[in-house]
Amino acid sequence: MLHSALINVMVKAARRAGRSLKHDLNEIEHLQVSLKGPANFVSLADKRAEEILHADLAKARPGYGFVGEEGGAREGTDKSHTWIVDPLDGTTNFLHGIPQFAISIALQREDTIIAGVIYNPGNDELYIAERGKGAFLNDQRLRVAGRRKLDECVIACAMPHIGRGDLELSRREMTAIQSKVAGLRRFGAAALDLAFVAAGRFDGFWERNLQPWDIAAGQIMVREAGGSVSGINGKDDALSTGHVVCGNEFVHGELVKILRAAEG
Ligand code: 2AM
Ligand code: CA
């Protein structure tokens, strides 16, 4: 399938960084991890992947700014374009050898995300989206699920864990939602949760306290697959608030209602 030059640049970078992550995952699975500990090793894997992404993207599009989870923000001479990159989303899964992790790359032009690529090197699933041109998984056009009955929906969420999140609020939200849906899932990689909504696997997803690089590529993926994405109150912006809720228009609206009520 033919994609734009921009998407080709992003895909090439994602695949090269993916090879690096896959090599490092193999080391983790074979326990050839240094004595300093796996967490340290993973943080090196993360940094290596980000350096590959930065090198490839900067070579192909000199001057674009770059915001990555590991290296912070690097300003470019071209002030209207910025890459927003997570070299390893789903770090805890990666550390445990669970193949639900991904590289997430988005390109922002002025205030708008114009392209996104999410690549899971664990199972070679490649998601791409370009503004106005649709979303694809391994070259198959994506469409969000069409369900309009909440009791048939599978919804993804996050869970506060040690040192992170508001446990009480999360419990109120989960209690309110789990009693109304066919199933709740917590997979632990926000970029892939969004990609799964775009692919119609999940009917919806919400999570709080995310960073722009967790959301940017997944947001355009869901929108280009025909879905709705917003902050928790339904009107604000997921990227700037860091809180996200999405699904088809109906599911998105229902989740917003329930989450707002749970907020109290
Ligand atoms: P990460 O794997 O790149 O850290 C898990 O609920 C999701 O939240 C993952 O996508 C994870 O991204 C993201 N996340 C963002 N900030 C986080 C943090 N401080 N601690 C753990 N997960 C975080
Ligand atoms: Ca992340």
Side-chain angles (χ1 to χ4, degrees), residues 130-174:
E130 203 168 357
R131 195 167 154 82
K133 295 185 184 166
F136 300 82
L137 163 55
N138 294 344
D139 283 342
Q140 267 206 289
R141 183 82 188 238
L142 296 181
R143 181 84 205 153
V144 292
R147 290 185 189 85
R148 295 182 61 84
K149 289 184 180 153
L150 216 48
D151 61 5
E152 293 175 357
C153 288
V154 172
I155 305 294
C157 63
M159 279 179 208
H161 48 82
I162 184 162
R164 183 169 186 246
D166 180 337
L167 188 58
E168 290 311 316
L169 174 58
S170 167
R171 283 187 173 155
R172 285 202 304 279
E173 291 178 343
M174 285 172 72

Side-chain angles (χ1 to χ4, degrees), residues 3-250:
H3 293 299
S4 69
L6 170 65
I7 290 289
N8 287 338
V9 161
M10 295 165 77
V11 167
K12 211 170 148 207
R15 287 200 185 276
R16 198 160 83 85
R19 280 196 291 281
S20 171
L21 284 183
K22 209 159 173 200
H23 171 269
D24 289 335
L25 180 70
N26 197 45
E27 303 265 310
I28 289 177
E29 286 176 331
H30 293 91
L31 301 174
Q32 283 159 3
V33 166
S34 89
L35 289 175
K36 282 191 204 151
N40 214 342
F41 180 86
V42 168
S43 134
L44 285 176
D46 227 331
K47 288 197 175 72
R48 269 194 286 273
E50 182 159 318
E51 277 320 303
I52 291 171
L53 294 169
H54 181 256
D56 284 13
L57 296 172
K59 190 170 171 208
R61 294 291 185 275
Y64 285 16
F66 185 98
V67 178
E69 174 155 28
E70 296 303 311
R74 310 183 216 197
E75 272 208 25
T77 49
D78 176 343
K79 303 293 176 206
S80 37
H81 290 94
T82 306
W83 298 111
I84 305 176
V85 169
D86 192 343
L88 174 55
D89 183 52
T91 316
T92 306
N93 287 339
F94 183 85
L95 179 61
H96 287 251
I98 299 168
Q100 184 75 1
F101 59 88
I103 289 157
S104 173
I105 307 173
L107 180 62
Q108 187 169 30
R109 175 182 290 156
E110 306 300 346
D111 287 330
T112 308
I113 304 296
I114 60 163
V117 164
I118 297 171
Y119 176 54
N120 179 354
N123 61 9
D124 210 31
E125 285 195 336
L126 175 73
Y127 300 82
I128 67 173
E130 203 168 357
R131 195 167 154 82
K133 295 185 184 166
F136 300 82
L137 163 55
N138 294 344
D139 283 342
Q140 267 206 289
R141 183 82 188 238
L142 296 181
R143 181 84 205 153
V144 292
R147 290 185 189 85
R148 295 182 61 84
K149 289 184 180 153
L150 216 48
D151 61 5
E152 293 175 357
C153 288
V154 172
I155 305 294
C157 63
M159 279 179 208
H161 48 82
I162 184 162
R164 183 169 186 246
D166 180 337
L167 188 58
E168 290 311 316
L169 174 58
S170 167
R171 283 187 173 155
R172 285 202 304 279
E173 291 178 343
M174 285 172 72
T175 302
I177 288 176
Q178 73 193 123
S179 57
K180 296 188 177 67
V181 300
L184 266 191
R185 299 288 183 272
R186 199 285 192 189
F187 284 5
L192 285 177
D193 289 333
L194 289 159
F196 275 30
V197 172
R201 293 173 175 174
F202 290 148
D203 296 282
F205 164 62
W206 90 96
E207 180 165 359
R208 291 178 178 272
N209 305 313
L210 290 168
Q211 301 293 332
W213 46 79
D214 301 314
I215 302 173
Q219 172 174 292
I220 187 171
M221 209 66 64
V222 173
R223 287 191 176 148
E224 286 298 321
S228 306
V229 185
S230 70
I232 298 288
N233 81 8
K235 293 189 198 74
D236 53 5
D237 177 47
L239 265 181
S240 51
T241 59
H243 311 311
V244 65
V245 50
C246 67
N248 70 31
E249 200 183 349
F250 168 80

